[in-house]
Amino acid sequence: MSTDLMSRESSASVSLVAPEVLRHVVDVHCHPTDSEISPNTMDKLPITICAMATRMEDQRLVRDLATAYPSKVMPCFGYHPWFTHWIALKPVHSKEEHYRGIFANSEQNAEEFSRLLPLLPDPIPLEDVISDLRRNLQKFPNAMLGEVGLDRISRVPYDYFAAPRELTPFVIPFEHQLAVLEAQMELAVKLGRHISMHSVKAQKATCDLLQQMQRKYGEQWNRVSLDLHSCGFSPQMWKDVEGRHVNVFLSLSTAINSRSPNHRALLAACSPSRILAESDFHQIDQCAQRAWDMVVTIAEVKGWQVETTWEEDLDENHWGVVRHLEENWKTFQKGNHATAPKKSRGRKGV
Ligand SMILES: [Zn+2]
């Protein structure tokens, strides 16, 4: 059977894929705690997932999920850029003073501001956020930092959980997001924890930050791995990052990336040893299918076979896509990357 034919069939339904193959698939970025999770779906989950936290309330949910399903769930703790306005960098006297300080245009949009203010939580001091993170990371030796990052286009909604989500005219200042991100990354580097990072319309700032981390922490920085999740970089920018940083990986999701034709070009440009797959989904019963769709896309772009059975001790020339991605994930988790970028593993083709 040609790879193409096999790919189309496999992508039709993950339920047709052998469980022994799926056992080696890792969804490196998803948000299962944002939806209802039934024990039944967790028992049936055929893959491993990295469950992201994003804000104060869901750190506990991720902790509970990873405690209940330690073999299937790798917990990731962190504060997402969309919720960083809830975090105070300095002591504040009142909730209103804090949010007026964050939203520079609160005076000009007085009506919207007074509608939003009662819906916002009391600000949490950054040092509380960091000590909560430290506690969670130390409780789980395999836990990662995530989801953290930078976002230049998101606007604050009135109610994040409302559907449809109604947006305010307010944005979170970039400098504020950066300060929260840097504090979290500093902790991750100190504890030697890997990072799942969101970067939207912030390519240059992300590259600058990576360079700064490398300069500041040197060898210590190379101990940790960083995944640019649902990466929207241009292929050229990614090549540049990959060449400069031995510890940075790229994961793509059909949820975000397949909206843009860029993702295939990005996969084609990416070294075969730096790619990971993710769903970025919040319904746990969809994660396996969504992650698998991306696995199949990667196979198509890289010209790799899609495994139908699992064989141990395969020669690298015969690795299929699942084996490639599993090896990449092992390298990611191991961390301690050599300073000079490794030559590609000498594979032919892409
Ligand atoms: Zn995410």
Side-chain angles (χ1 to χ4, degrees):
M1 204 189 304
S2 80
T3 309
D4 241 345
L5 188 57
M6 198 189 295
S7 304
R8 257 179 274 130
E9 282 192 359
S10 315
S11 86
S13 173
V14 73
S15 62
L16 301 176
V17 184
E20 72 198 66
V21 173
L22 290 177
R23 251 199 304 280
H24 298 269
V25 172
V26 182
D27 177 354
V28 302
H29 187 110
C30 59
H31 297 268
T33 60
D34 276 359
S35 293
E36 204 63 45
I37 306 174
S38 73
N40 186 32
T41 17
M42 282 311 292
D43 292 339
K44 284 199 302 207
L45 184 71
I47 61 170
T48 305
I49 58 168
C50 299
M52 298 290 142
T54 55
R55 52 192 184 275
M56 193 46 111
E57 317 89 76
D58 65 2
Q59 315 291 320
R60 179 181 53 83
L61 301 178
V62 167
R63 202 163 60 215
D64 292 349
L65 187 66
T67 306
Y69 302 95
S71 63
K72 290 185 179 180
V73 178
M74 163 167 291
C76 306
F77 301 103
Y79 290 76
H80 192 287
W82 294 352
F83 305 101
T84 48
H85 56 308
W86 297 351
I87 300 172
L89 304 181
K90 294 188 290 257
V92 284
H93 299 107
S94 75
K95 177 176 165 181
E96 180 166 346
E97 177 199 287
H98 166 75
Y99 287 108
R100 283 200 186 281
I102 295 271
F103 304 131
N105 54 345
S106 64
E107 298 269 342
Q108 296 97 297
N109 298 278
E111 214 173 289
E112 290 86 349
F113 184 76
S114 43
R115 187 179 152 201
L116 175 64
L117 188 61
L119 302 171
L120 293 169
D122 285 333
I124 329 153
L126 180 60
E127 55 186 55
D128 291 4
V129 162
I130 296 300
S131 47
D132 178 61
L133 257 182
R134 184 183 293 113
R135 253 194 316 275
N136 282 326
L137 290 173
Q138 285 174 335
K139 188 166 191 295
F140 297 88
N142 65 339
M144 295 181 8
L145 178 73
E147 176 174 359
V148 297
L150 298 169
D151 196 317
R152 267 200 211 275
I153 52 169
S154 77
R155 262 156 64 202
V156 171
Y158 284 103
D159 177 358
Y160 177 76
F161 294 100
R165 220 178 267 161
E166 195 188 344
L167 299 178
T168 70
F170 307 116
V171 295
I172 307 170
F174 199 71
E175 289 307 312
H176 182 85
Q177 297 182 31
L178 195 58
V180 174
L181 174 62
E182 283 176 346
Q184 297 185 86
M185 281 174 77
E186 184 180 312
L187 177 68
V189 171
K190 280 188 184 146
L191 298 179
R193 297 311 177 89
H194 311 312
I195 301 167
S196 190
M197 182 176 172
H198 169 117
S199 169
V200 172
K201 290 274 180 286
Q203 291 190 54
K204 167 88 170 61
T206 302
C207 292
D208 291 348
L209 177 65
L210 296 176
Q211 292 287 92
Q212 181 198 319
M213 295 298 286
Q214 195 171 48
R215 270 198 306 273
K216 190 167 170 190
Y217 296 103
E219 280 301 294
Q220 231 187 335
W221 169 239
N222 285 336
R223 273 172 59 204
V224 307
S225 305
L226 181 141
D227 175 37
L228 277 175
H229 113 84
S230 292
C231 182
F233 277 29
S234 70
Q236 197 44 51
M237 194 65 129
W238 168 259
K239 285 304 279 179
D240 189 46
V241 167
E242 192 184 88
R244 287 170 193 266
H245 301 278
V246 285
N247 57 341
V248 179
F249 290 67
L250 171 149
S251 65
L252 298 183
S253 66
T254 54
I256 305 291
N257 297 106
S258 61
R259 286 183 210 151
S260 145
N262 177 52
H263 77 288
R264 282 178 179 262
L266 189 55
L267 283 175
C270 185
S271 151
S273 57
R274 302 284 191 102
I275 308 174
L276 302 167
E278 59 163 294
S279 70
D280 201 20
F281 237 60
H282 55 95
Q283 285 103 343
I284 186 63
D285 57 347
Q286 301 277 314
C287 286
Q289 179 68 58
R290 295 291 179 143
W292 183 253
D293 290 344
M294 186 42 74
V295 168
V296 172
T297 302
I298 295 168
E300 284 168 7
V301 175
K302 289 300 192 192
W304 293 332
Q305 303 264 332
V306 179
E307 290 91 336
T308 49
T309 55
W310 195 258
E311 287 168 59
E312 294 301 334
D313 306 321
L314 264 189
D315 180 83
E316 194 174 323
N317 294 323
H318 296 111
W319 286 358
V321 63
V322 175
R323 175 84 60 165
H324 274 287
L325 297 179
E326 185 186 41
E327 291 298 322
N328 293 351
W329 176 242
K330 284 182 191 163
T331 309
F332 181 92
Q333 278 194 294
K334 224 182 280 157
N336 288 313
H337 303 276
T339 321
K342 262 185 262 156
K343 290 261 159 59
S344 79
R345 294 179 192 137
R347 281 170 216 133
K348 286 186 222 105
V350 232

